[in-house]
């Protein structure tokens, strides 16, 4: 429903890929992954100027990986996570903090003019 709302309200085409079968996540893992996805999609429609975004959820043993990729404007990713706050990128910083709560990581790949890929990997078992 999150992807449907983004499409309907902001005209952004969102493709969602999830496995047909997976092991259930802990409730707190479900919530944190949802919040990371929500923030990533929010950043796309607010800042990226993208026309499409893909969101993929994968599970490998006790870990889940969320990949959100857009075809938007992109940006220069700072060398240090702490620099995100200085650049006003608090949403990305929030994704890092949420992932850390589940012994996870977030990586951001982006270049001006080439879109952005956010990969969050967290322990869900």
């Amino acid at each position: 429903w999150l992807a449907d709302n983004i499409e309907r309200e902001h005209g952004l085409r969102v493709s969602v890929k999830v496995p047909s079968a997976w092991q259930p996540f802990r409730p707190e893992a479900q919530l944190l992954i949802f919040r990371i996805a929500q923030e990533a999609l929010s950043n796309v429609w607010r800042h990226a100027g993208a026309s499409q975004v893909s969101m993929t959820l994968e599970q490998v043993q006790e870990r889940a990986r969320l990949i959100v990729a857009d075809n938007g404007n992109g940006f220069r990713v700072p060398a240090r996570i702490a620099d995100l706050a200085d650049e006003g990128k608090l949403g990305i910083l929030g994704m890092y903090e949420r992932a850390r709560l589940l012994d996870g990581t977030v990586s951001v790949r982006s270049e001006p003019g080439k879109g952005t890929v956010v990969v969050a990997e967290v322990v869900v078992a």
Side-chain angles (χ1 to χ4, degrees):
W1 64 263
L2 179 61
D4 289 341
N5 285 348
I6 296 286
E7 284 187 337
R8 188 174 46 259
E9 294 176 13
H10 303 288
L12 182 63
R13 195 170 60 205
V14 181
S15 70
V16 178
K17 298 174 190 165
V18 294
S20 57
W22 60 34
Q23 296 298 314
F25 298 172
R26 299 177 300 189
E28 63 270 19
Q30 290 177 27
L31 178 60
L32 288 176
I33 290 169
F34 174 78
R35 293 296 183 209
I36 291 169
Q38 188 177 41
E39 184 61 39
L41 288 175
S42 176
N43 284 346
V44 172
W45 69 261
R46 285 184 182 168
H47 307 295
S51 61
Q52 58 188 5
V53 59
S54 68
M55 187 167 53
T56 305
L57 184 63
E58 303 169 342
Q59 186 175 13
V60 178
Q61 296 173 349
E62 75 280 351
R63 299 185 76 78
R65 180 180 303 127
L66 172 69
I67 304 163
V68 180
D70 70 61
N71 68 344
N73 302 326
F75 64 97
R76 185 191 62 78
V77 179
R80 298 178 317 132
I81 293 172
D83 294 338
L84 290 167
D86 295 339
E87 295 184 13
K89 297 184 182 344
L90 299 177
I92 295 173
L93 194 55
M95 287 188 275
Y96 277 96
E97 293 301 319
R98 284 187 172 101
R100 286 182 53 205
L101 292 172
L102 294 177
D103 296 322
T105 61
V106 170
S107 66
V108 179
R109 295 186 315 267
S110 187
E111 288 183 49
K114 296 190 178 183
T116 300
V117 178
V118 174
V119 179
E121 193 166 314
V122 298
V123 176
V124 294

